[in-house]
Every structure is written in structure tokens, then in C-alpha cells.
Amino acid sequence: MPRIDAHAHVFAKPSAQFPRAVDEDCPAGREEPVGKLLEAMHANRIGQAVLVQIGGAEVAQHAYLLHCLREHRDRFRGIGLIPPGDPEPERHMDRLAAEPGIIGFRLFTVGGPRDPFAPIDVRRFATYRIWKHAAAKDYVIWLYARARDAHLIPYLLEQFPQVRVVVNHLGICPGAGAASRDDRGRPRIATPTYNPAFHTTYRLNRYENVVVKLSGQPAFSREQYPYRDLARWHHNLFEAYGPGRLMWGSDFPWNLADPGYARLTSVVRELLPGLSEADHAAIMGANARRFLRFPSPNTD
């Protein structure tokens, strides 16, 4: 059973062939090519990976992601982005999903009322059409919702129980202004020890179409590897979701230098030391292969 990295980013320098947005994450002079990821994967016995779009949501800005998916069809599956406020998100989704390897779309918002006591009509949510189309076309929702939206997620899951949903980065829903970069340009997310959004994350376990990704530990921890201050979060997620609905991801390339890709492949063992071999294998690849429908890899 191959091990699968369920969350990685790759990008080229902006060019006519590979246009992309230039921002704090992806400055113009930086590139993180797929070859570097493949080297890290090979060195650590990781057979396949999910490539999550970065560098812009327009179709043209997905050019490098689509290139990687075409060149390595057996190794990668892709998650696209949707431009905020797109008047025809269905068309955008279908254009990208027509390319080999695109299986779903990442959302950072839900788009409903912030007041938890306000009347709820999911048809008025800003992302309602996206979820509806995902249900119709069997696209995956790659969800990294903000804290203000956490209470709204169950309404969409009730409406669309057939949609496969991957809750990103330990199920943490960052608050406003929580994101920053350290002196090495790595993501940092200020998260209180007690995060009310966890109440939503844990309750989502009753939906069988939801899995949680064990990734992003360096961004949330206040400690160095192996991030012992996150051990209870991992334990609670394991208790809530069990070994069959958790996936590991590296969040490549942000932490390639520190702690390094090899250490990231060991973080689940460090923070869930009592795992059986079968449970560890499930989290490190079997669950992603089943839930995301990876093909059997050709590693020749």
C-alpha cells in the first residue's frame, strides 16, 4: 500500500507558459518545482500526493498544476481554486475538472450569516452553488474555513451528504488576522489553546463523508519538532474520527528546511505513539487512496 502525501504545493516562477499571482507566499523570484517534491517523496517512500493549487484562482493560473498532473498522472491528484465571487463557478469547476487529475476545489469560506442565531437558508450561502455542483459532479471539497464560518459547515453537510469533504490542517479554523509569516517565510497561524471552532470540527465526525487532514503542525505549534503541544489535538481527532477518516499531509514546501520532509513523515508516529501498524498505514496513505480514489501507482 503506497504512502500518500495528502497536501502539497508546487509552483514555477511566473512566465508566459506558467502565469501565476505574485504574493507573500509565492514571490516572483521563488519556485518550488515538482521535481523537488518528487525527490523528497522518493527519499521517504511516499508514492503519491495531492497537489493543492497556489498562485491564483484563474484557470490560466493553474497552468503549472495542470502540467504536473499531465506529466505524472499516476502519482498526483489536484485540487483547484475558484475565483471569489465568480458568477458562474460551475463553469469554472468543469473547465478545470476536464483536465486529468483535478478531483476537487479548495474553499476558504462558507459565506453564510456570522450570527449563529440568524435564520439559516443554505441557498443564500455564497458557496451554495459550488457545493451543489460538487454534489452533482462528485467533486471533492477541500475545506479550510475560517472561524467565523465554522458554525455553518454542518448546514451544507446536511444538504449535501454525498459530497466528499476534506477538512484541512487539523480541523483548525483560523480567526481573523491570525495568519503571518516567520523570518523564513513559513506560515504561522496564531491559535489559542482553547479554540471554540474545535467544537464544530469534532461534531463533524457524525458525517461519514468528512475526513480530517493531519497537516500543518509547524504553523500551529508553539514548539519545535515534534510539536508535543499538539499531541492532545491529534489524540482528540483520532478519538473523534478513528483511524479510517484521518489523512497525513506534509504541507510541502513550507517546512522543507525545518523540520524537513523526513521528519514530517514521522510526525504522526510522534504525536500518536500508540497507533497500530494498520492504523498508521491507513492514516499515511490507505485512507487517501480510498477516499480520493487514487490509482495504483506505476513507480517504474
Side-chain angles (χ1 to χ4, degrees), residues 92-166:
H92 177 91
M93 295 162 75
D94 288 345
R95 285 183 65 188
L96 285 174
E99 298 285 346
I102 294 289
I103 61 169
F105 300 90
R106 196 179 199 192
L107 299 182
F108 299 93
T109 185
V110 173
R114 298 185 65 176
D115 182 355
F117 298 103
I120 298 295
D121 182 350
V122 294
R123 295 169 298 179
R124 295 182 177 274
F125 288 12
T127 58
Y128 174 77
R129 287 173 58 179
I130 294 172
W131 285 76
K132 182 178 180 181
H133 199 57
K137 292 299 188 77
D138 194 26
Y139 299 147
V140 178
I141 294 292
W142 212 255
L143 188 61
Y144 192 24
R146 297 305 181 250
R148 65 175 179 266
D149 282 344
H151 66 287
L152 300 169
I153 300 170
Y155 292 99
L156 287 160
L157 294 173
E158 292 284 352
Q159 185 77 17
F160 301 111
Q162 69 273 55
V163 175
R164 290 172 289 156
V165 178
V166 178

Side-chain angles (χ1 to χ4, degrees), residues 39 49 73-74 90 104 108 125 128 147 153 156 167 181 196 230 242 245-246 250 255 264 277 283 298:
E39 288 177 6
R73 295 189 183 209
D74 64 314
E90 301 90 345
F108 299 93
F125 288 12
Y128 174 77
I153 300 170
L156 287 160
V167 177
R181 296 290 180 275
L230 303 183
R245 292 167 58 199
L246 299 172
S250 71
N255 306 294
L264 289 170
E277 290 298 325
I283 294 171
N298 177 8

Side-chain angles (χ1 to χ4, degrees), residues 151-229:
H151 66 287
L152 300 169
I153 300 170
Y155 292 99
L156 287 160
L157 294 173
E158 292 284 352
Q159 185 77 17
F160 301 111
Q162 69 273 55
V163 175
R164 290 172 289 156
V165 178
V166 178
V167 177
N168 290 194
H169 299 330
L170 305 176
I172 294 171
C173 301
S180 63
R181 296 290 180 275
D182 66 11
D183 55 3
R184 298 186 184 184
R186 299 176 301 177
R188 298 291 303 164
I189 307 293
T191 306
T193 302
Y194 172 76
N195 187 339
F198 282 145
H199 291 299
T200 295
T201 300
Y202 296 148
R203 286 200 301 271
L204 296 183
N205 69 348
R206 70 180 185 269
Y207 300 103
E208 295 182 357
N209 56 320
V210 175
V211 303
V212 175
K213 191 143 37 66
L214 302 183
S215 58
Q217 292 89 352
F220 300 106
S221 176
R222 296 178 175 85
E223 300 180 6
Q224 295 298 308
Y225 178 89
Y227 318 117
R228 298 287 184 203
D229 56 335

Side-chain angles (χ1 to χ4, degrees), residues 223-263:
E223 300 180 6
Q224 295 298 308
Y225 178 89
Y227 318 117
R228 298 287 184 203
D229 56 335
L230 303 183
R232 179 165 292 279
W233 293 358
H234 285 67
H235 173 78
N236 289 345
L237 288 170
F238 184 83
E239 288 295 309
Y241 287 87
R245 292 167 58 199
L246 299 172
M247 302 178 186
W248 167 79
S250 71
D251 206 17
F252 176 97
W254 313 128
N255 306 294
L256 193 58
D258 180 15
Y261 197 88
R263 281 185 159 183

